Amino acid sequence: MTAATDGVKRQPQGLAGAPGSRLAQTPSGIEVKETFTSRDLEGWREDEALGAPGSFPFTRGKFESMYRERLWITRNLCGLISPQRTNERLRFLMTAGQTGIALVPDTPTQLGIDADHPVGRNGVGVQGVPISSLEDMRALFSNLPVDRLTASFSVPGVAASMIVAQYFALGSERGIDPGLLRGSVQNDPLQARLTSYDPHNPIELTLRLAVDTIVFCERHMPNWHCTTINAYDLREAGLNAIEEAAFSLAIGAEYVRRTLARGLSVDAFAHRMLIISAAHNDLFEEAAKFRAMRRMWARMMKDFGARRERTCALTLAVHTAGSTLTARQPVNNVVRATVQALAAILGGCQGLDLSCYDEGTSLPSELSAEIAIRTQQVLAYESGVIRCVDPLGGSYYLESLTNEIECRASALVQEIEELGGMAATIEQGWASEVIDRSSFRLHDEIASGQTPVVGVNFSADSSGLDEALPVAPIHLEPCLAQVDAVAAWKTARNAKEVRMTLERVLAAGRDRKAELMPIVLEATTAGATVGEIVGTLRRAYDLPYDPFELVDHPFGL
Amino acid sequence: MRLRILAAKLGLDGHDSGLRYVAQCLSRAGMEVIYLGKYQTVSRVISVAVEEDIDVLALSFLSNEYRQQVPELMTALADAQLQDVEVVIGGLIPQEDHEKLLSSGVSAVFGAETKVDELVNHLRDRAERRPAAHKSRPATVSKEAS
């Protein structure tokens, strides 16, 4: 094994040769024995634990025939430079074999500030697509048939409602029946507050917007997924598989509770909530996690009073883990994504989105995006993995893991509920401490070599793997043409109408009982931007218009 | 002397798990870390730097915003007579930009997959050369808005 000793660390030689390693445990700390037998499933009842595929508790899958009838939706997360350039990339991806659209807006949009904001302008189109106004949404979907595609918007935070309003308005002006608008928005402000895009807007406001969006979709966009709990970002921030399952379920419980309080029955909306989860490297733990999440969700919905089976059937979208990708030997990332995608498929996902090999350091190039699609196609059409529904079902090991994950994650959900629910644990700082603890542990284990990362903490020397595939420039420049376009849009639109609708947004925001979405839609249609609507709502909560306190309200509200 | 470090992300890049881990490592290494977190502006960083009398400013960038933010920051540091503050930068900084940052007065740039020990050693080495001015101070504090 001389080759293995060439790297910075010796390759672990099985469990015995890797002292101190956690190889005898899953990454989330479940002990794994050498062999599992029927004794490990004593007291386990197939009818209760599994049911048939497509039936409660949906452990074996959301649908009876799963991929034999309906393949998962192949997506590639996309968003770069400008609405026009992103539109070109979308069309490229559709031609390459993508079957659904997955869009990520840029950071200014996510934070609820416009492209022409003095801080925002540096980030325009750099880490996603800029969408300030309805005009941008029009450009983004130019020549794309919105009545015949499924579009997912990765917007967890305060801008989610405005993005839904824009998409709805786009459909209306094209004369499309809103029932034909299919896709999803994240609309997950708790996750946004915890790990990503939220410049400290009051949780009271963001939760209000989120629930209003759920209510609006229930009434007007019956086939739209109103909430996508973003378990993915929680996992990427450092949680392990068990914690990811627990946090996402507890977040779901918070939204369901608050929507029930608005008078809707759980059967009216919960089947339009889904989870986007992360697939990491540990094949069996990940596959078991997806199965456990479906079972936990089904049982939770029953506890919320669900009477219809479909309310209990969790839709799972899966994105392979960007945080596992390495800058060194990026070609290895193709293999990582393949293993992770396999876990997602064995776990029964409905949508699948692979991180591209260059995403350790870059936004994906066309080449890397195409490889990600080809990887999905090889898995779908060559590997035979789709032939049999839930092929791992009944395995002593996998069912034991599924039970253990459910058991530990349920205990954690219970703990969160006892602390007052997910929103409370976020405000108390507890949730963030859990993330830090797990994240630091993971990073420590990578630094010490306890968690092996091929090409990084061992086998780092290579004759050419670092350059085996091209990696695009690390950074995109901010798209200043888009900054100008948004500024021009603001002068060209009917200012009087925008002002009037923003005044109504302010009044509705101040009346804590008013429904916000109809008025957000009105303002959006009149030409108000994401930044203006969010800023006006901030004013209604007695906060400065601009979270960075650099810009005043354009109409002095 | 015990180094006092301000850890922050300037601009809009929202990826902070790397910086959080680095802050944790520096704190374990016996340094005092004030964690300011993400979505910061130059003026806020400067005002906290003055208020907390820091020795080191540790910044992380995963997007290209360092190209606008760092020159602005270096000017603002000079204007606030904080030239003695060491600025260290980590994250996704392409090699061709390292020299530019260093010549603008940044003390060190650490790229992807640098071991945290390298940063700790760099700061310890700098600390030894600094005059011992600081007395005992409160332990690590978080200044993240909540």
Side-chain angles (χ1 to χ4, degrees):
Chain A
M1 292 296 290
T2 43
T5 57
D6 289 345
V8 294
K9 283 238 173 73
R10 207 169 68 86
Q11 178 167 342
Q13 302 294 306
L15 293 185
S21 151
R22 292 182 61 212
L23 286 175
Q25 277 184 359
T26 67
S28 67
I30 298 172
E31 293 291 334
V32 177
K33 300 185 298 182
E34 193 169 292
T35 315
F36 282 75
T37 68
S38 57
R39 283 194 300 282
D40 295 296
L41 294 179
E42 258 167 43
W44 178 87
R45 286 186 42 195
E46 187 184 333
D47 55 344
E48 276 179 10
L50 301 184
S55 300
F56 192 87
F58 300 97
T59 315
R60 305 203 68 184
K62 183 176 178 179
F63 302 111
E64 191 181 342
S65 314
M66 288 297 289
Y67 307 134
R68 291 173 74 103
E69 237 175 50
R70 161 175 3 201
L71 203 62
W72 62 84
I73 298 168
T74 299
R75 302 183 199 268
N76 257 72
L77 194 62
C78 173
L80 72 170
I81 305 172
S82 67
Q84 292 77 9
R85 289 289 297 278
T86 303
N87 175 270
E88 284 166 26
R89 176 65 70 88
L90 288 177
R91 287 195 272 160
F92 167 81
L93 291 170
M94 299 302 273
T95 311
Q98 167 168 282
T99 57
I101 283 174
L103 285 160
V104 57
D106 66 3
T107 314
T109 310
Q110 300 273 13
L111 295 178
I113 60 177
D114 290 334
D116 59 346
H117 184 284
V119 172
R121 55 189 290 133
N122 294 330
V124 171
V126 170
Q127 294 175 318
V129 54
I131 312 176
S132 295
S133 72
L134 178 55
E135 186 67 4
D136 295 333
M137 191 61 90
R138 288 180 186 129
L140 184 54
F141 282 91
S142 165
N143 293 313
L144 288 169
V146 296
D147 52 343
R148 280 180 286 126
L149 49 80
T150 153
S152 114
F153 290 91
S154 292
V155 199
V158 72
S161 310
M162 292 86 223
I163 295 294
V164 170
Q166 288 177 0
Y167 198 68
F168 184 86
L170 177 75
S172 304
E173 65 186 26
R174 290 197 190 174
I176 290 162
D177 171 5
L180 294 177
L181 298 177
R182 290 189 308 127
S184 63
V185 63
Q186 286 190 353
N187 190 32
D188 180 3
L190 292 177
Q191 179 276 325
R193 163 56 66 85
L194 196 48
T195 57
S196 68
Y197 311 112
D198 186 316
H200 306 293
N201 287 314
I203 235 171
E204 189 199 339
L205 166 63
T206 54
L207 276 171
R208 179 182 169 195
L209 273 169
V211 173
D212 274 4
T213 304
I214 295 173
V215 172
F216 177 86
C217 291
E218 192 270 325
R219 283 189 203 140
H220 303 291
M221 298 171 86
N223 288 312
W224 186 261
H225 289 91
C226 54
T227 296
T228 307
I229 299 158
N230 187 349
Y232 178 84
D233 277 15
L234 297 172
R235 180 68 182 278
E236 290 291 276
L239 292 182
N240 64 37
I242 292 167
E243 293 162 341
E244 179 205 339
F247 273 45
S248 50
L249 268 282
I251 287 176
E254 192 77 63
Y255 299 144
V256 171
R257 249 194 313 270
R258 285 166 192 264
T259 310
L260 293 177
R262 293 283 299 277
L264 269 67
S265 95
V266 70
D267 288 317
F269 66 93
H271 63 294
R272 290 294 172 211
M273 296 175 78
L274 63 95
I275 294 181
I276 181 156
S277 179
H280 278 240
N281 288 328
D282 200 272
L283 183 68
F284 294 110
E285 178 166 78
E286 294 302 314
K289 175 192 73 181
F290 299 127
R291 298 170 87 248
M293 283 168 89
R294 261 197 311 275
R295 190 155 78 201
M296 290 171 70
W297 182 267
R299 289 177 174 162
M300 186 171 93
M301 289 305 141
K302 200 144 254 189
D303 290 344
F304 275 121
R307 294 197 179 159
R308 302 182 68 167
E309 281 248 315
R310 73 168 193 191
T311 309
C312 301
L314 175 65
T315 301
L316 262 176
V318 177
H319 190 104
T320 66
S323 65
T324 63
L325 304 185
T326 56
R328 299 288 311 278
Q329 305 183 11
V331 65
N332 297 341
N333 295 332
V334 176
V335 185
R336 290 190 179 96
T338 309
V339 173
Q340 295 166 4
L342 184 58
I345 296 164
L346 293 173
C349 68
Q350 276 63 59
L352 183 55
D353 178 345
L354 268 58
S355 289
C356 304
Y357 74 80
D358 50 0
E359 289 191 72
T361 48
S362 298
L363 293 191
S365 66
E366 286 196 351
L367 174 74
S368 71
E370 200 169 1
I371 290 176
I373 291 172
R374 294 288 171 267
T375 306
Q376 293 208 36
Q377 290 169 329
V378 170
L379 285 166
Y381 301 112
E382 294 186 14
S383 77
V385 75
I386 66 171
R387 210 167 279 136
C388 169
V389 175
D390 188 29
L392 299 180
S395 140
Y396 301 129
Y397 176 42
L398 197 83
E399 297 301 352
S400 298
L401 271 181
T402 306
N403 292 344
E404 195 58 32
I405 290 171
E406 183 186 19
C407 174
R408 295 190 190 191
S410 299
L412 190 50
V413 171
Q414 186 62 34
E415 190 178 348
I416 293 167
E417 292 294 302
E418 279 162 15
L419 288 166
M422 200 69 218
T425 65
I426 290 171
E427 293 203 295
Q428 293 154 8
W430 178 92
S432 176
E433 282 166 24
V434 174
I435 293 178
D436 278 346
R437 200 162 53 227
S438 290
S439 164
F440 296 163
R441 178 175 171 177
L442 176 66
H443 283 109
D444 281 345
E445 287 180 0
I446 292 171
S448 70
Q450 241 185 321
T451 291
V453 183
V454 175
V456 175
N457 63 14
F458 72 89
S459 294
D461 296 334
S462 153
S463 56
L465 287 181
D466 284 321
E467 297 81 29
L469 285 172
V471 174
I474 291 179
H475 294 302
L476 293 173
E477 288 299 323
C479 179
L480 297 177
Q482 175 67 10
V483 176
D484 295 341
V486 170
W489 162 258
K490 286 182 174 175
T491 46
R493 65 194 175 167
N494 182 338
K496 205 171 146 199
E497 209 183 324
V498 173
R499 186 201 164 98
M500 236 164 53
T501 54
L502 287 178
E503 279 168 358
R504 285 164 55 78
V505 169
L506 183 67
R510 285 203 173 124
D511 173 3
R512 300 290 194 257
K513 293 214 164 68
E515 275 192 35
L516 297 174
M517 261 311 267
I519 295 148
V520 166
L521 176 62
E522 220 174 87
T524 299
T525 310
T529 59
V530 171
E532 289 166 341
I533 297 172
V534 172
T536 304
L537 286 169
R538 285 174 54 86
R539 296 291 305 123
Y541 280 74
D542 298 321
L543 293 164
Y545 170 77
D546 171 18
F548 293 90
E549 299 188 43
L550 299 168
V551 179
D552 291 327
H553 197 293
F555 300 99
L557 300 179
Chain B
M1 65 169 279
R2 215 171 160 201
L3 281 179
R4 210 162 154 78
I5 296 161
L6 181 60
K9 286 188 72 92
L10 279 173
L12 296 183
D13 164 35
H15 300 84
D16 69 341
S17 65
L19 184 64
R20 294 180 91 90
Y21 179 63
V22 168
Q24 167 76 0
C25 293
L26 296 179
S27 162
R28 275 188 216 151
M31 302 172 194
E32 290 174 49
V33 182
I34 298 132
Y35 192 81
L36 199 54
K38 53 196 178 184
Y39 308 133
Q40 299 302 326
T41 56
V42 168
S43 62
R44 164 116 167 108
V45 165
I46 296 287
S47 78
V48 177
V50 172
E51 197 180 302
E52 297 287 345
D53 188 20
I54 60 155
D55 307 301
V56 176
L57 182 51
L59 301 171
S60 155
F61 292 95
L62 270 76
S63 77
N64 67 351
E65 287 174 87
Y66 63 88
R67 288 183 189 153
Q68 295 89 20
Q69 300 271 6
V70 173
E72 205 184 307
L73 172 80
M74 300 315 287
T75 311
L77 281 172
D79 291 349
Q81 318 217 305
L82 295 173
Q83 295 94 326
D84 290 348
V85 169
E86 304 246 356
V87 180
V88 291
I89 293 180
L92 289 180
I93 317 287
Q95 200 61 43
E96 67 262 26
D97 284 349
H98 286 207
E99 199 47 51
K100 226 178 284 174
L101 289 170
L102 294 172
S103 65
S104 77
V106 169
S107 129
V109 180
F110 299 93
E113 289 166 15
T114 307
K115 293 206 166 33
V116 183
D117 290 349
E118 284 177 43
L119 170 64
V120 171
N121 292 338
H122 172 83
L123 293 178
R124 279 193 177 137
D125 180 54
R126 292 305 177 109
E128 277 165 23
R129 298 188 212 162
R130 290 172 80 93
H134 298 311
K135 298 178 199 83
S136 69
R137 288 160 161 161
T140 303
V141 283
S142 172
K143 286 212 154 224
E144 275 184 290
S146 56

